[in-house]
Amino acid sequence: MAFRSRLQNKSGGSSIEQLEIEMCSPSSSPPVPVSPVCTTILPRKLRFASPSRDEDDEGTSGSDDSPFKAKSENSNDSAKTPTTMSISPPYRKVRALRLFDTPATPKTILEHCGPAKEKSSAKALNHLSLAAASDITKRQESLFLKATERPRSLPLHNRALDNVMQQQTANVNPFTPDSLMAHNKKRCRTQIGRENLSNRSLQMFLNSDEDLNNDNEQSTEMHQAPKRLALQDTNISRYKKEFVELSVIGIGEFGMVYQCLNRLDGCIYAIKKSIKPVAGSSFEKQALNEVWAHAVLGKHDNVVRYYSAWAEDNHMLIQNEYCNGGSLQSLLQKRCLVESELRILLLHVAEGLRYIHSNDLVHMDLKSGNIFLTKVPSVHKTVMPPLTKECYETGMDGIYEELSNSEWLITYKIGDLGHVTSVKEPCVEEGDCRYLPKEILEDDFSNLFKADIFALGLTLYEAAGGGPLPKNGQEWHNLRDNKVPDIPTLSREFNDLIKIMTHSDPKKRPSSTSIFNHSVLNSLESKSKAQLSQELTIEKRKNEILLRKLREARKTIKSYEQNAKAHHSHFNSPQKFSDQRCLRSLTRKKHNTPSLNGKLESLRDRNKNVINNFKY
Ligand SMILES: Nc1ncnc2c1ncn2[C@@H]1O[C@H](COP(=O)(O)OP(=O)(O)OP(=O)(O)O)[C@@H](O)[C@H]1O
Ligand SMILES: [Mg+2]
């Protein structure tokens, strides 16, 4: 759509069809009175789309190469035979099309996108049918190849026709449920062929699919995925335009991660930029893989959320949710987790894994470096008044601090989806060997779900204090041969859970669903979310009441103290002694003074109790 919108911007909002008509008219045609829109476009057409200009650009004059000729042929592709078409090899057009910013290019593109094609392509897009768009591309491609003397295969980054149809081309994400279903159906179809259509129920299943009703060759082609859209084809400078870079928050094997502020929405994001240019390299597929996985999986609380991705200078950039707590690995460098924290970690990561696995996908690189934390202040913290001088004077700053610290809600999220693969068609890129089970290193991919469970087991072991994990050696083998040492600070049941999760036999390991039945998680899991949030609300209310009481008590103490001071100064004033009324009141006050002190004492005691209540 980039080219289209460029035209629309220049035209100040006129319709694309109008522009096409203007731009596609032969340069020799007399200038006609046109709207200001057309006048801005016509000079481009007259200057750059003339055959002479093409000649200059290409360094050849071959009339067969005339873009006008090609245009007239292509615009009537359904009516005319290809005999009058250019017989030049495709590379000329490839070059012409790749010069996206040269004035000749728009014309060339428009030639291939005549009104008829535009209409049909738009229709395809309106119906959100990638397959249809791909079909159009294919038909154009075959037409183009017919017109050439020697058809050549176009390399991935020099695909003139794909560029021509760039507006209508998009990658097919292999991880979406639709793609997985299509894959299944394809398999079913093949099986039916082999089984000689004997399975009636399967036939009925296929017949129920309207797309597969039409059993002709065309429909088969329609379902073939288009070629992968290369990163180079989507280079858009965007990082500097849309974001303010705040800091570098991490460096991994594959990418540098920056904390960035979006200029428009004012929110902070983590933008991961590939360290090396990936377009056209062997890492391109891996980079795209991460985007595909994020796009499908970024909608769960325990998976890092994905916002967008694009290519710039042949680098891949992925805009993700910024996790303000950093990675679990960086937390573990400071301290290990206690059992109550480990339970939360297990609960969250297992939830994330259950979600990933429910999509028939596996992470394949689960580790502390790829688990991120978000710390969100609960509602309470916002209600808490800021610490005043008084708080420090009265020694209550500690309590406030404690309360505010306990108000952070931590969520663990699975990130770095660069190794995600489908269990149905696994393409395993081995992750970090410290967390991989033996069977994966032996190329046994029959139980990929359980490889993630193994990695989670070792992550828990590391987080509990068993780390750093070995990369090789006897210790490495022990962790994979059912000899995981007990962590002394953990309960028996937690140690047992780690052992079963890291069992050498993948079948013995729990699944991301059955793990919730384990007693370690059972107590947490047996309570519904509603129940837990209700309990949380009750506890928050209790805290609120106690806080209010604490504040009231402080106020009362203060007012008594002020009264006491006033009385004291009154008592010491020599003037008052001369006054009879004063003497009378003094006698009364003298009587009251001990009881006032007593009251102050008892208030202090009560205050202490409130403070103790807070602590426990
Ligand atoms: N969403 C995020 N929020 C906060 N920090 C992040 C985020 N994503 C990544 N980081 C930081 O950047 C580091 C590297 O990120 P990431 O793991 O995605 O890169 P990588 O190159 O794929 O790493 P590797 O392949 O070595 O695991 C992380 O360890 C973390 O410190
Ligand atoms: Mg990582």
Side-chain angles (χ1 to χ4, degrees):
M1 294 311 245
F3 179 62
R4 261 165 164 262
S5 56
R6 239 155 50 107
L7 284 177
Q8 277 168 332
N9 288 342
K10 281 182 190 286
S11 70
S14 81
S15 82
I16 189 82
E17 273 174 27
Q18 245 185 303
L19 293 176
E20 277 162 12
I21 293 160
E22 284 301 321
M23 292 182 75
C24 292
S25 62
S27 60
S28 54
S29 63
V32 287
V34 283
S35 69
V37 170
C38 299
T39 45
T40 57
I41 298 299
L42 272 172
R44 287 170 67 81
K45 176 199 74 182
L46 292 171
R47 210 159 5 114
F48 303 115
S50 68
S52 58
R53 175 71 192 207
D54 273 0
E55 227 168 84
D56 292 346
D57 287 344
E58 297 290 334
T60 57
S61 63
S63 60
D64 281 338
D65 262 349
S66 161
F68 293 105
K69 196 161 188 179
K71 174 211 154 225
S72 63
E73 289 152 8
N74 285 340
S75 61
N76 297 310
D77 62 345
S78 55
K80 289 193 178 180
T81 55
T83 47
T84 57
M85 291 179 77
S86 162
I87 53 159
S88 61
Y91 78 92
R92 283 178 195 282
K93 291 196 171 72
V94 173
R95 274 168 55 184
L97 289 164
R98 289 200 65 202
L99 296 170
F100 195 77
D101 282 324
T102 64
T105 312
K107 185 176 184 326
T108 324
I109 287 176
L110 286 169
E111 283 160 10
H112 288 276
C113 299
K117 285 187 191 76
E118 182 67 38
K119 209 173 160 193
S120 56
S121 309
K123 196 178 161 198
L125 281 178
N126 286 346
H127 290 267
L128 295 174
S129 166
L130 268 179
S134 122
D135 187 44
I136 291 159
T137 315
K138 275 186 183 140
R139 268 188 276 150
Q140 284 205 332
E141 199 163 348
S142 63
L143 183 72
F144 189 86
L145 289 173
K146 266 184 222 163
T148 59
E149 271 181 337
R150 275 187 298 146
R152 296 171 184 201
S153 68
L154 297 171
L156 195 60
H157 303 297
N158 288 328
R159 289 167 299 133
L161 285 161
D162 275 8
N163 278 346
V164 169
M165 297 303 292
Q166 194 168 316
Q167 287 91 331
Q168 289 92 4
T169 315
N171 278 330
V172 173
N173 186 326
F175 301 145
T176 56
D178 283 351
S179 302
L180 292 171
M181 234 162 79
H183 170 74
N184 282 349
K185 277 173 195 162
K186 211 168 122 192
R187 269 219 310 232
C188 287
R189 220 176 136 100
T190 323
Q191 274 166 14
I192 285 172
R194 285 196 196 120
E195 288 164 22
N196 205 14
L197 298 175
S198 58
N199 190 333
R200 199 172 149 65
S201 61
L202 273 173
Q203 250 184 315
M204 281 171 71
F205 167 67
L206 285 178
N207 286 341
S208 68
D209 186 344
E210 59 174 50
D211 287 333
L212 293 175
N213 270 345
N214 186 358
D215 211 20
N216 60 28
E217 198 50 44
Q218 194 186 355
S219 90
T220 316
E221 271 186 28
M222 294 269 281
H223 285 83
Q224 279 173 0
K227 279 180 193 168
R228 181 155 51 89
L229 188 64
L231 283 180
Q232 229 169 44
D233 301 334
T234 56
N235 265 347
I236 308 158
S237 172
R238 187 173 150 189
Y239 183 67
K240 290 223 163 101
K241 224 194 279 177
E242 290 188 19
F243 298 93
V244 179
E245 189 180 298
L246 300 177
S247 63
V248 176
I249 45 175
I251 303 172
E253 197 191 314
F254 169 77
M256 288 265 276
V257 185
Y258 301 88
Q259 185 195 35
C260 293
L261 178 74
N262 184 294
R263 294 178 198 271
L264 183 68
D265 66 26
C267 292
I268 291 179
Y269 298 93
I271 297 188
K272 182 169 170 178
K273 189 176 179 185
S274 57
I275 292 171
K276 293 179 198 153
V278 289
S281 78
S282 55
F283 295 111
E284 180 168 334
K285 168 76 176 42
Q286 199 186 331
L288 284 171
N289 201 61
E290 184 164 357
V291 175
W292 291 335
H294 260 302
V296 170
L297 296 173
K299 300 164 205 92
H300 191 273
D301 254 6
N302 302 110
V303 177
V304 172
R305 201 168 158 192
Y306 159 84
Y307 290 91
S308 71
W310 69 100
E312 217 169 291
D313 300 330
N314 296 332
H315 287 262
M316 167 65 94
L317 287 98
I318 309 175
Q319 177 194 1
N320 283 335
E321 162 186 17
Y322 168 63
C323 301
N324 59 354
S327 71
L328 174 64
Q329 186 185 32
S330 53
L331 174 67
L332 295 180
Q333 277 160 6
K334 291 173 209 148
R335 63 176 183 94
C336 43
L337 304 187
V338 295
E339 186 162 328
S340 60
E341 290 173 306
L342 286 170
R343 278 172 204 257
I344 304 289
L345 169 68
L346 170 62
L347 180 72
H348 289 186
V349 179
E351 286 276 14
L353 273 188
R354 181 159 63 173
Y355 170 68
I356 294 174
H357 292 177
S358 71
N359 282 280
D360 279 337
L361 300 174
V362 277
H363 187 278
M364 296 311 291
D365 196 21
L366 197 68
K367 57 178 179 176
S368 58
N370 290 338
I371 295 171
F372 302 105
L373 285 81
T374 55
K375 286 159 70 176
V376 186
S378 72
V379 196
H380 237 328
K381 198 172 177 231
T382 54
V383 176
M384 288 275 286
L387 288 187
T388 58
K389 206 175 127 207
E390 247 175 32
C391 297
Y392 293 101
E393 281 171 358
T394 52
M396 271 183 276
D397 52 333
I399 296 149
Y400 273 81
E401 213 74 83
E402 204 176 295
L403 274 175
S404 53
N405 282 343
S406 63
E407 297 301 314
W408 290 110
L409 293 177
I410 290 179
T411 309
Y412 296 95
K413 293 173 184 250
I414 303 173
D416 193 354
L417 308 185
H419 292 257
V420 166
T421 190
S422 152
V423 284
K424 295 203 168 139
E425 236 176 330
C427 176
V428 177
E429 294 277 345
E430 281 165 18
D432 195 321
C433 68
R434 289 173 298 172
Y435 301 82
L436 280 179
K438 251 188 190 167
E439 77 264 9
I440 296 299
L441 297 166
E442 289 161 1
D443 285 347
D444 171 8
F445 304 145
S446 59
N447 222 327
L448 290 177
F449 291 131
K450 302 295 180 72
D452 279 348
I453 298 294
F454 179 89
L456 177 56
L458 280 192
T459 305
L460 290 170
Y461 174 75
E462 179 193 16
L469 297 178
K471 282 186 178 168
N472 45 42
Q474 191 52 48
E475 208 191 328
W476 186 93
H477 282 281
N478 287 347
L479 292 175
R480 282 149 188 86
D481 291 338
N482 303 325
K483 291 176 196 154
V484 177
D486 272 347
I487 301 276
T489 52
L490 294 187
S491 64
R492 180 72 262 142
E493 56 176 3
F494 210 107
N495 271 312
D496 287 346
L497 177 61
I498 290 177
K499 283 185 200 321
I500 195 83
M501 286 174 83
T502 52
H503 201 284
S504 56
D505 180 1
K507 289 191 197 101
K508 296 256 168 71
R509 297 173 208 152
S511 70
S512 55
T513 310
S514 68
I515 201 166
F516 289 97
N517 300 330
H518 196 275
S519 53
V520 163
L521 284 183
N522 220 0
S523 54
L524 285 170
E525 188 60 0
S526 61
K527 289 184 183 177
S528 68
K529 248 187 181 174
Q531 256 179 309
L532 286 170
S533 78
Q534 203 179 5
E535 281 175 25
L536 186 69
T537 316
I538 291 168
E539 291 308 315
K540 280 177 179 175
R541 286 276 139 78
K542 276 186 197 168
N543 272 348
E544 257 170 37
I545 292 165
L546 287 171
L547 248 187
R548 211 173 301 139
K549 278 187 180 172
L550 187 66
R551 265 185 235 128
E552 278 166 13
R554 251 188 322 115
K555 267 187 198 164
T556 323
I557 292 170
K558 209 177 157 192
S559 70
Y560 274 117
E561 278 174 350
Q562 275 169 352
N563 279 345
K565 261 187 201 167
H567 287 301
H568 189 68
S569 57
H570 199 78
F571 180 74
N572 290 333
S573 165
Q575 263 185 344
K576 310 281 169 181
F577 280 106
S578 58
D579 193 320
Q580 193 64 24
R581 278 176 67 200
C582 253
L583 272 173
R584 265 209 305 275
S585 86
L586 177 71
T587 331
R588 204 169 54 234
K589 274 166 196 163
K590 263 189 173 175
H591 277 288
N592 288 343
T593 310
S595 66
L596 175 72
N597 285 340
K599 216 167 185 180
L600 268 172
E601 283 305 315
S602 74
L603 259 171
R604 280 214 176 89
D605 285 347
R606 267 164 55 192
N607 192 27
K608 254 187 204 165
N609 286 339
V610 173
I611 290 166
N612 287 337
N613 276 343
F614 267 115
K615 280 187 172 165
Y616 305 105

